[in-house]
Amino acid sequence: MLEIRNLHARIAETGTEIIRGLDLTVKNGEVAAIMGPNGSGKSTLSYILAGREDYEVTEGEILFDGQSILDMDPAERAASGIFLAFQYPLEIPGVATMEFLKVALNAQRRARGEPELKIPDLLKKVREAAGRLNMDMAMLKRPLNVGFSGGEKKRAEILQMSLLEPKLCVLDETDSGLDIDALKVVADGVNALRSPDRSMVVITHYQRLLDYIVPDTVHVLYQGRVIKSGDKSLALDLEQNGYADIIGEAA
Ligand code: ADP
Ligand code: MG
């Protein structure tokens, strides 16, 4: 599903290299957790997958379904089935959440060659998905993310994800700003989307989230590289012992 080979990337404006020879393979249906201390490049990796223009890939390759995505713009990446839930979701004043969902969903359907949804069908779909996330329908009338609490923003992201039915979901620090009940709702939403032909990359520096979203593989990112990979026991190990030993081994 996703294969990243020897990726090097820098901040376009300053030339500072952040990703320094990163390798990562995520198979079909796999849930991969990316962990690592603050500043190790986790969010940068998600921005690069999204195709943000302020980062420059200088070396290496990112293959999605066997095809390079490096020449694709963010809209093309989304249309091909990549979805990113950001650590800090953007507030969009003036655009009601429902309107945003309609536009996003219909754009995705057009990209897949499917007809646009009729309004009643759209409402039904959104109502069902929002209900599963314990979201108040009144929220959907409010401008997207504006004044939403941390938990509400995360729910709105998971709602988008469940409606768009992406092939690859990248979730950056989905647990930040969530109380334990909201965390469970979000984790349930993510777990409901697990499927043999959908892969997920879950970025977090807390083991806590991984009690609810149990990953198939765990990768430790440090200074822009994956320095250790393992199964879910690696996350438990990190919770017990911290990153110091693994960083020491890799040095
Ligand atoms: P993480 O998500 O793992 O905490 P980030 O990807 O946010 O780490 O950041 C990795 C490193 O890159 C940090 O040292 C951060 O300060 C730096 N960095 C990221 N983006 C920028 C930017 N636009 N300008 C300057 N430094 C940046
Ligand atoms: Mg981050």
Side-chain angles (χ1 to χ4, degrees):
M1 177 77 70
L2 177 69
E3 185 161 5
I4 303 178
R5 291 187 198 142
N6 188 32
L7 188 70
H8 289 257
R10 61 188 186 195
I11 297 164
E13 199 182 351
T14 59
T16 313
E17 189 172 56
I18 307 287
I19 301 298
R20 303 185 179 100
L22 185 147
D23 292 297
L24 177 71
T25 301
V26 183
K27 299 200 186 89
N28 284 350
E30 189 175 295
V31 175
I34 309 271
M35 302 186 74
N38 271 323
S40 52
K42 303 185 297 298
S43 291
T44 303
L45 175 62
S46 73
Y47 298 147
I48 290 166
L49 287 170
R52 257 178 64 160
E53 278 173 6
D54 24 2
Y55 297 90
E56 229 171 55
V57 170
T58 51
E59 208 182 319
E61 193 50 272
I62 304 178
L63 303 175
F64 172 58
D65 262 349
Q67 300 228 324
S68 174
I69 63 166
L70 290 178
D71 291 333
M72 290 161 71
D73 67 29
E76 290 170 319
R77 293 181 195 202
S80 75
I82 299 177
F83 179 88
L84 284 109
F86 290 111
Q87 184 167 8
Y88 303 107
L90 270 186
E91 300 189 358
I92 311 192
V95 178
T97 303
M98 192 64 178
E99 182 61 23
F100 176 85
L101 291 172
K102 182 179 122 197
V103 171
L105 187 53
N106 280 330
Q108 193 66 328
R109 291 177 67 91
R110 270 198 308 278
R112 292 188 194 141
E114 297 167 7
E116 292 198 357
L117 276 177
K118 298 204 172 65
I119 298 292
D121 295 335
L122 175 83
L123 286 173
K124 184 161 175 276
K125 234 176 139 67
V126 173
R127 209 172 283 132
E128 282 169 5
R132 281 195 296 273
L133 289 167
N134 288 347
M135 256 175 105
D136 185 353
M137 289 301 285
M139 254 180 71
L140 301 177
K141 295 187 185 138
R142 290 167 51 188
L144 183 64
N145 290 325
V146 178
F148 286 16
S149 71
E152 288 168 344
K153 284 184 182 173
K154 294 297 167 176
R155 281 191 174 87
E157 294 264 293
I158 303 299
L159 176 64
Q160 287 167 49
M161 187 166 103
S162 56
L163 290 169
L164 295 175
E165 299 174 37
K167 284 195 263 184
L168 173 68
C169 307
V170 182
L171 301 135
D172 190 7
E173 303 275 11
T174 294
D175 46 354
S176 58
L178 292 189
D179 61 35
I180 201 78
D181 291 333
L183 181 67
K184 281 184 195 152
V185 170
V186 168
D188 288 349
V190 169
N191 285 330
L193 290 173
R194 287 177 95 140
S195 115
D197 41 32
R198 175 174 298 129
S199 306
M200 308 213 187
V201 175
V202 178
I203 298 175
T204 184
H205 69 279
Y206 297 115
Q207 143 67 22
R208 191 180 62 155
L209 178 69
L210 304 181
D211 288 335
Y212 300 102
I213 303 173
V214 179
D216 300 302
T217 54
V218 174
H219 307 272
V220 179
L221 194 63
Y222 181 65
Q223 294 188 341
R225 287 188 310 121
V226 173
I227 59 168
K228 193 170 176 102
S229 298
D231 62 17
K232 62 178 190 251
S233 66
L234 175 57
L236 296 170
D237 200 50
L238 288 167
E239 179 75 356
Q240 291 281 312
N241 305 314
Y243 292 106
D245 288 352
I246 289 172
I247 290 169
E249 275 169 38

mmCIF file with all atom_site columns, all heavy atoms in Angstrom, residues 18-19 34 39-49 52 55 84 86-88 172-173 203 221:
data_model
loop_
_atom_site.group_PDB
_atom_site.id
_atom_site.type_symbol
_atom_site.label_atom_id
_atom_site.label_alt_id
_atom_site.label_comp_id
_atom_site.label_asym_id
_atom_site.label_entity_id
_atom_site.label_seq_id
_atom_site.pdbx_PDB_ins_code
_atom_site.Cartn_x
_atom_site.Cartn_y
_atom_site.Cartn_z
_atom_site.occupancy
_atom_site.B_iso_or_equiv
_atom_site.pdbx_formal_charge
_atom_site.auth_seq_id
_atom_site.auth_comp_id
_atom_site.auth_asym_id
_atom_site.auth_atom_id
_atom_site.pdbx_PDB_model_num
ATOM 1   N N   . ILE A 1 18  ? 14.895 17.657 7.528  1.00 0.00 ? 18  ILE A N   1
ATOM 2   C CA  . ILE A 1 18  ? 14.148 17.118 8.677  1.00 0.00 ? 18  ILE A CA  1
ATOM 3   C C   . ILE A 1 18  ? 14.024 15.598 8.554  1.00 0.00 ? 18  ILE A C   1
ATOM 4   O O   . ILE A 1 18  ? 14.190 14.870 9.517  1.00 0.00 ? 18  ILE A O   1
ATOM 5   C CB  . ILE A 1 18  ? 12.727 17.729 8.754  1.00 0.00 ? 18  ILE A CB  1
ATOM 6   C CG1 . ILE A 1 18  ? 12.769 19.265 8.723  1.00 0.00 ? 18  ILE A CG1 1
ATOM 7   C CG2 . ILE A 1 18  ? 11.991 17.224 10.000 1.00 0.00 ? 18  ILE A CG2 1
ATOM 8   C CD1 . ILE A 1 18  ? 13.254 19.930 9.971  1.00 0.00 ? 18  ILE A CD1 1
ATOM 9   N N   . ILE A 1 19  ? 13.719 15.126 7.360  1.00 0.00 ? 19  ILE A N   1
ATOM 10  C CA  . ILE A 1 19  ? 13.611 13.681 7.120  1.00 0.00 ? 19  ILE A CA  1
ATOM 11  C C   . ILE A 1 19  ? 14.928 13.238 6.494  1.00 0.00 ? 19  ILE A C   1
ATOM 12  O O   . ILE A 1 19  ? 15.348 13.772 5.471  1.00 0.00 ? 19  ILE A O   1
ATOM 13  C CB  . ILE A 1 19  ? 12.403 13.371 6.194  1.00 0.00 ? 19  ILE A CB  1
ATOM 14  C CG1 . ILE A 1 19  ? 11.089 13.884 6.813  1.00 0.00 ? 19  ILE A CG1 1
ATOM 15  C CG2 . ILE A 1 19  ? 12.306 11.876 5.904  1.00 0.00 ? 19  ILE A CG2 1
ATOM 16  C CD1 . ILE A 1 19  ? 10.692 13.262 8.133  1.00 0.00 ? 19  ILE A CD1 1
ATOM 17  N N   . ILE A 1 34  ? 3.369  5.070  14.285 1.00 0.00 ? 34  ILE A N   1
ATOM 18  C CA  . ILE A 1 34  ? 4.656  5.762  14.253 1.00 0.00 ? 34  ILE A CA  1
ATOM 19  C C   . ILE A 1 34  ? 4.794  6.481  15.584 1.00 0.00 ? 34  ILE A C   1
ATOM 20  O O   . ILE A 1 34  ? 3.962  7.327  15.925 1.00 0.00 ? 34  ILE A O   1
ATOM 21  C CB  . ILE A 1 34  ? 4.724  6.817  13.128 1.00 0.00 ? 34  ILE A CB  1
ATOM 22  C CG1 . ILE A 1 34  ? 4.302  6.231  11.797 1.00 0.00 ? 34  ILE A CG1 1
ATOM 23  C CG2 . ILE A 1 34  ? 6.099  7.461  13.078 1.00 0.00 ? 34  ILE A CG2 1
ATOM 24  C CD1 . ILE A 1 34  ? 5.377  5.627  10.988 1.00 0.00 ? 34  ILE A CD1 1
ATOM 25  N N   . GLY A 1 39  ? 9.617  16.380 18.061 1.00 0.00 ? 39  GLY A N   1
ATOM 26  C CA  . GLY A 1 39  ? 10.638 16.938 17.177 1.00 0.00 ? 39  GLY A CA  1
ATOM 27  C C   . GLY A 1 39  ? 11.344 15.914 16.318 1.00 0.00 ? 39  GLY A C   1
ATOM 28  O O   . GLY A 1 39  ? 12.302 16.239 15.623 1.00 0.00 ? 39  GLY A O   1
ATOM 29  N N   . SER A 1 40  ? 10.867 14.662 16.305 1.00 0.00 ? 40  SER A N   1
ATOM 30  C CA  . SER A 1 40  ? 11.588 13.638 15.536 1.00 0.00 ? 40  SER A CA  1
ATOM 31  C C   . SER A 1 40  ? 11.205 13.639 14.058 1.00 0.00 ? 40  SER A C   1
ATOM 32  O O   . SER A 1 40  ? 11.877 13.014 13.249 1.00 0.00 ? 40  SER A O   1
ATOM 33  C CB  . SER A 1 40  ? 11.388 12.250 16.157 1.00 0.00 ? 40  SER A CB  1
ATOM 34  O OG  . SER A 1 40  ? 10.035 11.979 16.351 1.00 0.00 ? 40  SER A OG  1
ATOM 35  N N   . GLY A 1 41  ? 10.132 14.372 13.714 1.00 0.00 ? 41  GLY A N   1
ATOM 36  C CA  . GLY A 1 41  ? 9.771  14.491 12.296 1.00 0.00 ? 41  GLY A CA  1
ATOM 37  C C   . GLY A 1 41  ? 8.454  13.815 11.948 1.00 0.00 ? 41  GLY A C   1
ATOM 38  O O   . GLY A 1 41  ? 8.128  13.659 10.766 1.00 0.00 ? 41  GLY A O   1
ATOM 39  N N   . LYS A 1 42  ? 7.682  13.447 12.954 1.00 0.00 ? 42  LYS A N   1
ATOM 40  C CA  . LYS A 1 42  ? 6.432  12.713 12.704 1.00 0.00 ? 42  LYS A CA  1
ATOM 41  C C   . LYS A 1 42  ? 5.426  13.563 11.920 1.00 0.00 ? 42  LYS A C   1
ATOM 42  O O   . LYS A 1 42  ? 4.888  13.118 10.910 1.00 0.00 ? 42  LYS A O   1
ATOM 43  C CB  . LYS A 1 42  ? 5.808  12.256 14.037 1.00 0.00 ? 42  LYS A CB  1
ATOM 44  C CG  . LYS A 1 42  ? 6.741  11.383 14.881 1.00 0.00 ? 42  LYS A CG  1
ATOM 45  C CD  . LYS A 1 42  ? 6.076  10.844 16.131 1.00 0.00 ? 42  LYS A CD  1
ATOM 46  C CE  . LYS A 1 42  ? 5.615  11.898 17.138 1.00 0.00 ? 42  LYS A CE  1
ATOM 47  N NZ  . LYS A 1 42  ? 6.721  12.721 17.688 1.00 0.00 ? 42  LYS A NZ  1
ATOM 48  N N   . SER A 1 43  ? 5.188  14.788 12.411 1.00 0.00 ? 43  SER A N   1
ATOM 49  C CA  . SER A 1 43  ? 4.227  15.643 11.690 1.00 0.00 ? 43  SER A CA  1
ATOM 50  C C   . SER A 1 43  ? 4.764  16.006 10.308 1.00 0.00 ? 43  SER A C   1
ATOM 51  O O   . SER A 1 43  ? 4.007  16.050 9.333  1.00 0.00 ? 43  SER A O   1
ATOM 52  C CB  . SER A 1 43  ? 3.931  16.913 12.484 1.00 0.00 ? 43  SER A CB  1
ATOM 53  O OG  . SER A 1 43  ? 3.204  16.601 13.653 1.00 0.00 ? 43  SER A OG  1
ATOM 54  N N   . THR A 1 44  ? 6.070  16.241 10.226 1.00 0.00 ? 44  THR A N   1
ATOM 55  C CA  . THR A 1 44  ? 6.673  16.561 8.930  1.00 0.00 ? 44  THR A CA  1
ATOM 56  C C   . THR A 1 44  ? 6.403  15.435 7.930  1.00 0.00 ? 44  THR A C   1
ATOM 57  O O   . THR A 1 44  ? 6.053  15.699 6.772  1.00 0.00 ? 44  THR A O   1
ATOM 58  C CB  . THR A 1 44  ? 8.191  16.782 9.086  1.00 0.00 ? 44  THR A CB  1
ATOM 59  O OG1 . THR A 1 44  ? 8.401  17.814 10.055 1.00 0.00 ? 44  THR A OG1 1
ATOM 60  C CG2 . THR A 1 44  ? 8.839  17.166 7.781  1.00 0.00 ? 44  THR A CG2 1
ATOM 61  N N   . LEU A 1 45  ? 6.532  14.203 8.381  1.00 0.00 ? 45  LEU A N   1
ATOM 62  C CA  . LEU A 1 45  ? 6.248  13.067 7.504  1.00 0.00 ? 45  LEU A CA  1
ATOM 63  C C   . LEU A 1 45  ? 4.803  13.126 7.000  1.00 0.00 ? 45  LEU A C   1
ATOM 64  O O   . LEU A 1 45  ? 4.546  12.926 5.803  1.00 0.00 ? 45  LEU A O   1
ATOM 65  C CB  . LEU A 1 45  ? 6.500  11.747 8.249  1.00 0.00 ? 45  LEU A CB  1
ATOM 66  C CG  . LEU A 1 45  ? 6.116  10.476 7.482  1.00 0.00 ? 45  LEU A CG  1
ATOM 67  C CD1 . LEU A 1 45  ? 6.945  10.353 6.203  1.00 0.00 ? 45  LEU A CD1 1
ATOM 68  C CD2 . LEU A 1 45  ? 6.300  9.235  8.368  1.00 0.00 ? 45  LEU A CD2 1
ATOM 69  N N   . SER A 1 46  ? 3.857  13.461 7.893  1.00 0.00 ? 46  SER A N   1
ATOM 70  C CA  . SER A 1 46  ? 2.461  13.504 7.440  1.00 0.00 ? 46  SER A CA  1
ATOM 71  C C   . SER A 1 46  ? 2.253  14.652 6.447  1.00 0.00 ? 46  SER A C   1
ATOM 72  O O   . SER A 1 46  ? 1.526  14.504 5.472  1.00 0.00 ? 46  SER A O   1
ATOM 73  C CB  . SER A 1 46  ? 1.489  13.572 8.625  1.00 0.00 ? 46  SER A CB  1
ATOM 74  O OG  . SER A 1 46  ? 1.511  14.836 9.230  1.00 0.00 ? 46  SER A OG  1
ATOM 75  N N   . TYR A 1 47  ? 2.928  15.781 6.669  1.00 0.00 ? 47  TYR A N   1
ATOM 76  C CA  . TYR A 1 47  ? 2.798  16.897 5.711  1.00 0.00 ? 47  TYR A CA  1
ATOM 77  C C   . TYR A 1 47  ? 3.358  16.510 4.350  1.00 0.00 ? 47  TYR A C   1
ATOM 78  O O   . TYR A 1 47  ? 2.817  16.887 3.311  1.00 0.00 ? 47  TYR A O   1
ATOM 79  C CB  . TYR A 1 47  ? 3.552  18.147 6.199  1.00 0.00 ? 47  TYR A CB  1
ATOM 80  C CG  . TYR A 1 47  ? 3.043  18.705 7.506  1.00 0.00 ? 47  TYR A CG  1
ATOM 81  C CD1 . TYR A 1 47  ? 3.916  19.317 8.407  1.00 0.00 ? 47  TYR A CD1 1
ATOM 82  C CD2 . TYR A 1 47  ? 1.702  18.637 7.848  1.00 0.00 ? 47  TYR A CD2 1
ATOM 83  C CE1 . TYR A 1 47  ? 3.467  19.834 9.613  1.00 0.00 ? 47  TYR A CE1 1
ATOM 84  C CE2 . TYR A 1 47  ? 1.246  19.146 9.049  1.00 0.00 ? 47  TYR A CE2 1
ATOM 85  C CZ  . TYR A 1 47  ? 2.135  19.744 9.929  1.00 0.00 ? 47  TYR A CZ  1
ATOM 86  O OH  . TYR A 1 47  ? 1.682  20.246 11.116 1.00 0.00 ? 47  TYR A OH  1
ATOM 87  N N   . ILE A 1 48  ? 4.455  15.775 4.357  1.00 0.00 ? 48  ILE A N   1
ATOM 88  C CA  . ILE A 1 48  ? 5.070  15.377 3.089  1.00 0.00 ? 48  ILE A CA  1
ATOM 89  C C   . ILE A 1 48  ? 4.174  14.391 2.355  1.00 0.00 ? 48  ILE A C   1
ATOM 90  O O   . ILE A 1 48  ? 4.018  14.462 1.131  1.00 0.00 ? 48  ILE A O   1
ATOM 91  C CB  . ILE A 1 48  ? 6.486  14.814 3.331  1.00 0.00 ? 48  ILE A CB  1
ATOM 92  C CG1 . ILE A 1 48  ? 7.399  15.971 3.765  1.00 0.00 ? 48  ILE A CG1 1
ATOM 93  C CG2 . ILE A 1 48  ? 7.043  14.118 2.095  1.00 0.00 ? 48  ILE A CG2 1
ATOM 94  C CD1 . ILE A 1 48  ? 8.707  15.540 4.356  1.00 0.00 ? 48  ILE A CD1 1
ATOM 95  N N   . LEU A 1 49  ? 3.536  13.487 3.105  1.00 0.00 ? 49  LEU A N   1
ATOM 96  C CA  . LEU A 1 49  ? 2.587  12.556 2.471  1.00 0.00 ? 49  LEU A CA  1
ATOM 97  C C   . LEU A 1 49  ? 1.418  13.323 1.860  1.00 0.00 ? 49  LEU A C   1
ATOM 98  O O   . LEU A 1 49  ? 0.917  12.975 0.794  1.00 0.00 ? 49  LEU A O   1
ATOM 99  C CB  . LEU A 1 49  ? 2.080  11.534 3.486  1.00 0.00 ? 49  LEU A CB  1
ATOM 100 C CG  . LEU A 1 49  ? 3.092  10.461 3.902  1.00 0.00 ? 49  LEU A CG  1
ATOM 101 C CD1 . LEU A 1 49  ? 2.563  9.653  5.077  1.00 0.00 ? 49  LEU A CD1 1
ATOM 102 C CD2 . LEU A 1 49  ? 3.416  9.543  2.725  1.00 0.00 ? 49  LEU A CD2 1
ATOM 103 N N   . ARG A 1 52  ? 2.368  18.918 1.077  1.00 0.00 ? 52  ARG A N   1
ATOM 104 C CA  . ARG A 1 52  ? 2.492  20.345 1.387  1.00 0.00 ? 52  ARG A CA  1
ATOM 105 C C   . ARG A 1 52  ? 3.705  20.950 0.716  1.00 0.00 ? 52  ARG A C   1
ATOM 106 O O   . ARG A 1 52  ? 4.787  20.386 0.724  1.00 0.00 ? 52  ARG A O   1
ATOM 107 C CB  . ARG A 1 52  ? 2.594  20.539 2.905  1.00 0.00 ? 52  ARG A CB  1
ATOM 108 C CG  . ARG A 1 52  ? 1.280  21.023 3.471  1.00 0.00 ? 52  ARG A CG  1
ATOM 109 C CD  . ARG A 1 52  ? 1.335  21.169 4.941  1.00 0.00 ? 52  ARG A CD  1
ATOM 110 N NE  . ARG A 1 52  ? 2.275  22.188 5.384  1.00 0.00 ? 52  ARG A NE  1
ATOM 111 C CZ  . ARG A 1 52  ? 2.211  22.740 6.588  1.00 0.00 ? 52  ARG A CZ  1
ATOM 112 N NH1 . ARG A 1 52  ? 1.278  22.379 7.438  1.00 0.00 ? 52  ARG A NH1 1
ATOM 113 N NH2 . ARG A 1 52  ? 3.090  23.643 6.941  1.00 0.00 ? 52  ARG A NH2 1
ATOM 114 N N   . TYR A 1 55  ? 7.576  21.818 1.982  1.00 0.00 ? 55  TYR A N   1
ATOM 115 C CA  . TYR A 1 55  ? 8.616  20.807 2.177  1.00 0.00 ? 55  TYR A CA  1
ATOM 116 C C   . TYR A 1 55  ? 9.083  20.297 0.827  1.00 0.00 ? 55  TYR A C   1
ATOM 117 O O   . TYR A 1 55  ? 8.296  20.186 -0.102 1.00 0.00 ? 55  TYR A O   1
ATOM 118 C CB  . TYR A 1 55  ? 8.088  19.640 3.022  1.00 0.00 ? 55  TYR A CB  1
ATOM 119 C CG  . TYR A 1 55  ? 7.693  20.085 4.406  1.00 0.00 ? 55  TYR A CG  1
ATOM 120 C CD1 . TYR A 1 55  ? 6.405  20.519 4.675  1.00 0.00 ? 55  TYR A CD1 1
ATOM 121 C CD2 . TYR A 1 55  ? 8.630  20.128 5.429  1.00 0.00 ? 55  TYR A CD2 1
ATOM 122 C CE1 . TYR A 1 55  ? 6.041  20.965 5.935  1.00 0.00 ? 55  TYR A CE1 1
ATOM 123 C CE2 . TYR A 1 55  ? 8.285  20.577 6.696  1.00 0.00 ? 55  TYR A CE2 1
ATOM 124 C CZ  . TYR A 1 55  ? 6.983  20.991 6.936  1.00 0.00 ? 55  TYR A CZ  1
ATOM 125 O OH  . TYR A 1 55  ? 6.643  21.439 8.176  1.00 0.00 ? 55  TYR A OH  1
ATOM 126 N N   . LEU A 1 84  ? -5.528 12.468 5.253  1.00 0.00 ? 84  LEU A N   1
ATOM 127 C CA  . LEU A 1 84  ? -4.739 12.864 6.421  1.00 0.00 ? 84  LEU A CA  1
ATOM 128 C C   . LEU A 1 84  ? -5.577 13.586 7.442  1.00 0.00 ? 84  LEU A C   1
ATOM 129 O O   . LEU A 1 84  ? -6.274 14.544 7.110  1.00 0.00 ? 84  LEU A O   1
ATOM 130 C CB  . LEU A 1 84  ? -3.586 13.780 5.981  1.00 0.00 ? 84  LEU A CB  1
ATOM 131 C CG  . LEU A 1 84  ? -2.480 12.967 5.335  1.00 0.00 ? 84  LEU A CG  1
ATOM 132 C CD1 . LEU A 1 84  ? -2.436 13.210 3.880  1.00 0.00 ? 84  LEU A CD1 1
ATOM 133 C CD2 . LEU A 1 84  ? -1.173 13.248 6.005  1.00 0.00 ? 84  LEU A CD2 1
ATOM 134 N N   . PHE A 1 86  ? -5.092 15.877 10.578 1.00 0.00 ? 86  PHE A N   1
ATOM 135 C CA  . PHE A 1 86  ? -3.961 16.642 11.084 1.00 0.00 ? 86  PHE A CA  1
ATOM 136 C C   . PHE A 1 86  ? -3.961 16.787 12.595 1.00 0.00 ? 86  PHE A C   1
ATOM 137 O O   . PHE A 1 86  ? -4.991 16.699 13.249 1.00 0.00 ? 86  PHE A O   1
ATOM 138 C CB  . PHE A 1 86  ? -3.924 18.025 10.444 1.00 0.00 ? 86  PHE A CB  1
ATOM 139 C CG  . PHE A 1 86  ? -3.552 17.972 9.001  1.00 0.00 ? 86  PHE A CG  1
ATOM 140 C CD1 . PHE A 1 86  ? -4.473 18.279 8.025  1.00 0.00 ? 86  PHE A CD1 1
ATOM 141 C CD2 . PHE A 1 86  ? -2.281 17.563 8.626  1.00 0.00 ? 86  PHE A CD2 1
ATOM 142 C CE1 . PHE A 1 86  ? -4.130 18.199 6.686  1.00 0.00 ? 86  PHE A CE1 1
ATOM 143 C CE2 . PHE A 1 86  ? -1.928 17.477 7.289  1.00 0.00 ? 86  PHE A CE2 1
ATOM 144 C CZ  . PHE A 1 86  ? -2.862 17.799 6.321  1.00 0.00 ? 86  PHE A CZ  1
ATOM 145 N N   . GLN A 1 87  ? -2.781 17.064 13.116 1.00 0.00 ? 87  GLN A N   1
ATOM 146 C CA  . GLN A 1 87  ? -2.638 17.307 14.557 1.00 0.00 ? 87  GLN A CA  1
ATOM 147 C C   . GLN A 1 87  ? -3.433 18.557 14.937 1.00 0.00 ? 87  GLN A C   1
ATOM 148 O O   . GLN A 1 87  ? -4.079 18.595 15.966 1.00 0.00 ? 87  GLN A O   1
ATOM 149 C CB  . GLN A 1 87  ? -1.153 17.475 14.887 1.00 0.00 ? 87  GLN A CB  1
ATOM 150 C CG  . GLN A 1 87  ? -0.872 17.629 16.361 1.00 0.00 ? 87  GLN A CG  1
ATOM 151 C CD  . GLN A 1 87  ? 0.613  17.469 16.683 1.00 0.00 ? 87  GLN A CD  1
ATOM 152 O OE1 . GLN A 1 87  ? 1.462  17.383 15.795 1.00 0.00 ? 87  GLN A OE1 1
ATOM 153 N NE2 . GLN A 1 87  ? 0.908  17.413 17.963 1.00 0.00 ? 87  GLN A NE2 1
ATOM 154 N N   . TYR A 1 88  ? -3.357 19.583 14.100 1.00 0.00 ? 88  TYR A N   1
ATOM 155 C CA  . TYR A 1 88  ? -4.087 20.820 14.376 1.00 0.00 ? 88  TYR A CA  1
ATOM 156 C C   . TYR A 1 88  ? -5.019 21.117 13.205 1.00 0.00 ? 88  TYR A C   1
ATOM 157 O O   . TYR A 1 88  ? -4.640 21.838 12.273 1.00 0.00 ? 88  TYR A O   1
ATOM 158 C CB  . TYR A 1 88  ? -3.103 21.978 14.583 1.00 0.00 ? 88  TYR A CB  1
ATOM 159 C CG  . TYR A 1 88  ? -2.118 21.688 15.685 1.00 0.00 ? 88  TYR A CG  1
ATOM 160 C CD1 . TYR A 1 88  ? -0.790 21.394 15.409 1.00 0.00 ? 88  TYR A CD1 1
ATOM 161 C CD2 . TYR A 1 88  ? -2.532 21.677 17.015 1.00 0.00 ? 88  TYR A CD2 1
ATOM 162 C CE1 . TYR A 1 88  ? 0.105  21.093 16.424 1.00 0.00 ? 88  TYR A CE1 1
ATOM 163 C CE2 . TYR A 1 88  ? -1.649 21.378 18.039 1.00 0.00 ? 88  TYR A CE2 1
ATOM 164 C CZ  . TYR A 1 88  ? -0.333 21.088 17.741 1.00 0.00 ? 88  TYR A CZ  1
ATOM 165 O OH  . TYR A 1 88  ? 0.541  20.778 18.742 1.00 0.00 ? 88  TYR A OH  1
ATOM 166 N N   . ASP A 1 172 ? -2.439 12.063 12.552 1.00 0.00 ? 172 ASP A N   1
ATOM 167 C CA  . ASP A 1 172 ? -1.339 12.637 13.323 1.00 0.00 ? 172 ASP A CA  1
ATOM 168 C C   . ASP A 1 172 ? -1.813 13.016 14.722 1.00 0.00 ? 172 ASP A C   1
ATOM 169 O O   . ASP A 1 172 ? -2.645 13.900 14.868 1.00 0.00 ? 172 ASP A O   1
ATOM 170 C CB  . ASP A 1 172 ? -0.785 13.873 12.602 1.00 0.00 ? 172 ASP A CB  1
ATOM 171 C CG  . ASP A 1 172 ? 0.510  14.363 13.240 1.00 0.00 ? 172 ASP A CG  1
ATOM 172 O OD1 . ASP A 1 172 ? 1.042  13.671 14.140 1.00 0.00 ? 172 ASP A OD1 1
ATOM 173 O OD2 . ASP A 1 172 ? 0.987  15.440 12.842 1.00 0.00 ? 172 ASP A OD2 1
ATOM 174 N N   . GLU A 1 173 ? -1.271 12.364 15.733 1.00 0.00 ? 173 GLU A N   1
ATOM 175 C CA  . GLU A 1 173 ? -1.559 12.689 17.143 1.00 0.00 ? 173 GLU A CA  1
ATOM 176 C C   . GLU A 1 173 ? -3.052 12.852 17.388 1.00 0.00 ? 173 GLU A C   1
ATOM 177 O O   . GLU A 1 173 ? -3.502 13.837 17.953 1.00 0.00 ? 173 GLU A O   1
ATOM 178 C CB  . GLU A 1 173 ? -0.837 13.987 17.555 1.00 0.00 ? 173 GLU A CB  1
ATOM 179 C CG  . GLU A 1 173 ? 0.658  13.929 17.355 1.00 0.00 ? 173 GLU A CG  1
ATOM 180 C CD  . GLU A 1 173 ? 1.409  13.306 18.511 1.00 0.00 ? 173 GLU A CD  1
ATOM 181 O OE1 . GLU A 1 173 ? 0.781  12.704 19.415 1.00 0.00 ? 173 GLU A OE1 1
ATOM 182 O OE2 . GLU A 1 173 ? 2.641  13.398 18.503 1.00 0.00 ? 173 GLU A OE2 1
ATOM 183 N N   . ILE A 1 203 ? 0.020  8.181  14.021 1.00 0.00 ? 203 ILE A N   1
ATOM 184 C CA  . ILE A 1 203 ? 1.182  8.850  14.598 1.00 0.00 ? 203 ILE A CA  1
ATOM 185 C C   . ILE A 1 203 ? 0.842  9.293  16.018 1.00 0.00 ? 203 ILE A C   1
ATOM 186 O O   . ILE A 1 203 ? -0.152 9.980  16.230 1.00 0.00 ? 203 ILE A O   1
ATOM 187 C CB  . ILE A 1 203 ? 1.555  10.084 13.752 1.00 0.00 ? 203 ILE A CB  1
ATOM 188 C CG1 . ILE A 1 203 ? 1.935  9.654  12.327 1.00 0.00 ? 203 ILE A CG1 1
ATOM 189 C CG2 . ILE A 1 203 ? 2.677  10.871 14.417 1.00 0.00 ? 203 ILE A CG2 1
ATOM 190 C CD1 . ILE A 1 203 ? 2.212  10.796 11.384 1.00 0.00 ? 203 ILE A CD1 1
ATOM 191 N N   . LEU A 1 221 ? 10.418 6.671  15.177 1.00 0.00 ? 221 LEU A N   1
ATOM 192 C CA  . LEU A 1 221 ? 11.053 7.697  14.352 1.00 0.00 ? 221 LEU A CA  1
ATOM 193 C C   . LEU A 1 221 ? 11.933 8.555  15.253 1.00 0.00 ? 221 LEU A C   1
ATOM 194 O O   . LEU A 1 221 ? 11.520 8.960  16.344 1.00 0.00 ? 221 LEU A O   1
ATOM 195 C CB  . LEU A 1 221 ? 9.947  8.552  13.721 1.00 0.00 ? 221 LEU A CB  1
ATOM 196 C CG  . LEU A 1 221 ? 10.323 9.474  12.583 1.00 0.00 ? 221 LEU A CG  1
ATOM 197 C CD1 . LEU A 1 221 ? 10.823 8.664  11.407 1.00 0.00 ? 221 LEU A CD1 1
ATOM 198 C CD2 . LEU A 1 221 ? 9.102  10.287 12.131 1.00 0.00 ? 221 LEU A CD2 1
#
